[in-house]
Amino acid sequence: MAEGALPATLGALLRHVRRALEEAGVTDAGLDARLIVEHAAGASRTDLVTDSGRPIGHAQVEAARTMLARRLAGEPVHRILGSREFYGLRLALSAGTLEPRPDTEALVEAALPFARRAADRHGACRILDLGTGTGAVALALLAQEPRAQAVASDISPDALATAAANADMTGVAPRFTAVRSDWFGGIEGRFHLIVSNPPYIASSEIAMLAKEVREHDPRAALDGGADGLDAYRAIAAGAPAHLETDGVVAVEIGIGQEADVEALFATQGFGLASTARDLGDVLRALVFAR
């Protein structure tokens, strides 16, 4: 934003930010502009429509200027905001967490009926979330099923601290336990439901990801090894010792991975029990039972 031509109203600021993003070729420039202006000006979506003539101050313009510069440099808008909504929950982000995305809501949709079924049978549902990151999947399940408790594991202390803070913010902290663990290494006990959105990108493909992903999501949450399947091998191998007799495992997968992942779980005596597709109609989540 050039000095001497600073936007003076909420609507003018929105137009200015959107134009700058569009000229830079930013995908979803309109959405990103709205989120930046709402945050910088302390405005709501309704304000942008019904009160676009509201005067704004220099501090609000400077806040928008700083956020715009970060977005133009390739930083994802939700990283700039410091939070993102997932399954109706507002979750804080940190450097050690994968940014939860709408595709992963399919994993919640796939797992939730089994969580409710376990709670109906046993009076409670014990959930293990492997590689929890922000805690998104576990927290969404806890918010939807009040009889559930979750152990959330991650190898990143930063991610665990963020997940615990998110559990507190979403009001489910008494039913949420964060544990540092490399897959099942630090896990004790058995669970009715094991869930995971593991790293599933082949190592050679990381460099081809969008800049917003490869430079801002932690590599450990993306890199699934040479064929993208390392995490599934670990989960399939360790799950039998940590599942209740009628327990299930639900995992998110990448595009086209369903046959390979199903074959890996089959070697451990698992069969496919259910699937779920994301909003783009891509097969995104698989549920396995023994």
Side-chain angles (χ1 to χ4, degrees):
M1 300 178 197
E3 294 291 348
L6 298 180
T9 66
L10 196 59
L13 179 61
L14 177 62
R15 290 191 294 274
H16 190 105
V17 173
R18 183 174 60 231
R19 187 181 309 116
L21 294 174
E22 288 173 344
E23 290 174 353
V26 173
T27 303
D28 294 327
L31 173 61
D32 286 7
R34 176 175 63 77
L35 292 172
I36 287 172
V37 172
E38 286 175 1
H39 191 82
S44 68
R45 187 178 308 184
T46 301
D47 292 335
L48 297 181
V49 176
T50 65
D51 197 16
S52 63
R54 177 199 297 180
I56 53 174
H58 182 75
Q60 294 169 313
V61 173
E62 284 302 308
R65 184 202 302 274
T66 299
M67 296 170 70
L68 175 59
R70 291 170 64 183
R71 184 66 190 96
L72 291 174
E75 188 172 354
V77 68
H78 291 287
R79 293 280 180 191
I80 298 168
L81 300 179
S83 65
R84 180 160 189 167
E85 185 171 304
F86 178 83
Y87 217 83
L89 304 174
R90 176 65 59 181
L91 302 177
L93 306 176
S94 64
T97 62
L98 186 74
E99 185 181 327
R101 294 176 172 85
D103 289 348
T104 301
E105 293 187 356
L107 177 58
V108 178
E109 291 289 331
L112 186 56
F114 294 91
R116 288 175 170 156
R117 191 177 306 166
D120 288 341
R121 289 176 180 170
H122 307 288
C125 176
R126 294 189 301 279
I127 299 169
L128 172 62
D129 181 12
L130 295 168
T132 194
T134 59
V137 175
L139 296 176
L141 291 169
L142 292 182
Q144 294 296 316
E145 177 45 72
R147 297 168 293 177
Q149 303 110 31
V151 171
S153 75
D154 207 289
I155 58 173
S156 165
D158 176 80
L160 292 173
T162 302
N166 283 330
D168 188 57
M169 287 193 299
T170 54
V172 300
R175 296 185 285 127
F176 182 91
T177 303
V179 175
R180 190 175 186 186
S181 178
D182 184 1
W183 302 120
F184 294 98
I187 302 301
E188 298 180 355
R190 291 181 178 270
F191 301 85
H192 301 108
L193 172 62
I194 296 174
V195 294
S196 184
N197 174 20
Y200 53 69
I201 307 297
S203 302
S204 61
E205 297 176 3
I206 298 294
M208 294 180 280
L209 296 174
K211 181 179 181 180
E212 288 86 346
V213 177
R214 70 174 186 269
E215 293 188 2
H216 295 280
D217 279 330
R219 184 171 179 122
L222 299 171
D223 194 337
D227 61 359
L229 300 172
D230 284 358
Y232 301 108
R233 294 186 180 93
I235 295 169
H242 293 278
L243 269 183
E244 295 286 5
T245 303
D246 58 351
V248 300
V249 183
V251 294
E252 179 172 330
I253 61 170
I255 296 174
Q257 289 182 318
E258 55 267 26
D260 289 334
V261 174
E262 186 174 356
L264 285 173
F265 275 85
T267 65
Q268 301 297 327
F270 287 95
L272 191 61
S274 181
T275 65
R277 293 181 176 271
D278 63 23
L279 294 177
D281 199 34
V282 173
L283 186 59
R284 187 61 65 179
L286 307 177
V287 182
F288 295 99
R290 297 189 86 201

